[in-house]
Amino acid sequence: MYRYDDYDQRLVDERVDQFRDQTERYLRGDLDEAEFLPLRLQNGLYVQRLAPMLRIAVPYGLLDARQVRKLAHITRHYDKGYAHISTRQNVQINWPRIEDVPDILAELASVQMHAIQTSGNCIRNTTTDPLAGVAADELEDPRPWCEIIRQWSTLHPEFAFLPRKFKIAVCGSREDRAAIHSHDIGLEIVPGPDGENGFRVLV
């Protein structure tokens, strides 16, 4: 799985500091609901009728043990001891206090995680086969392609404020376990005529 370099870590840490300042200004009354709305959505925070909900990015559904332990700690310390797995392979906690969200994001950043672009009208988490990398019918592991799409689309200014949310999935196996037909763009890895793999693109 992809590991942050110094630039990645600095970017995520700075994003946490930025949102902490924005949240404090909102709680003081310096930002109203309309002003805070796009700021919180860019950081995965929904404010629903009963409680806030924070959606945490899990790129192409891949976590290491350290990240799973951190998610367990966050659900116990900041929520009700459980989380939900979304259809886009993200993790959602449904009862955080708004004032705690910057601390949650800082905890996530300590294990190379974030909540950027998990909500709002942007390119969302690129998903793939939950068996990617170990599937017997796999032509090629699709996760490196998912990572390329993630790096290309994350914080891209052209894709941060789209008319609607936009979803991409990549499948590398004969069986479509990534549900590419139900996405805005579906990419299926297929053998090409020259022996090199290519893509069948569904729009």
Side-chain angles (χ1 to χ4, degrees), residues 10-27:
R10 185 169 65 254
L11 186 151
V12 172
D13 290 340
E14 289 175 354
R15 185 65 175 256
V16 172
D17 292 340
Q18 180 188 59
F19 188 63
R20 187 182 301 280
D21 175 68
Q22 293 164 346
T23 302
E24 290 172 353
R25 288 159 57 202
Y26 167 70
L27 293 173

Side-chain angles (χ1 to χ4, degrees), residues 34-75:
E35 292 170 321
F36 189 54
L37 173 64
L39 304 176
R40 63 175 173 78
L41 287 177
Q42 290 171 23
N43 290 279
L45 179 61
Y46 289 81
V47 177
Q48 300 173 317
R49 187 166 62 90
L50 298 176
M53 183 272 282
L54 180 66
R55 183 177 294 135
I56 299 164
V58 182
Y60 37 95
L62 191 62
L63 292 166
D64 64 23
R66 182 180 57 144
Q67 292 169 332
V68 172
R69 286 193 292 269
K70 178 60 72 175
L71 289 171
H73 163 75
I74 287 171
T75 61

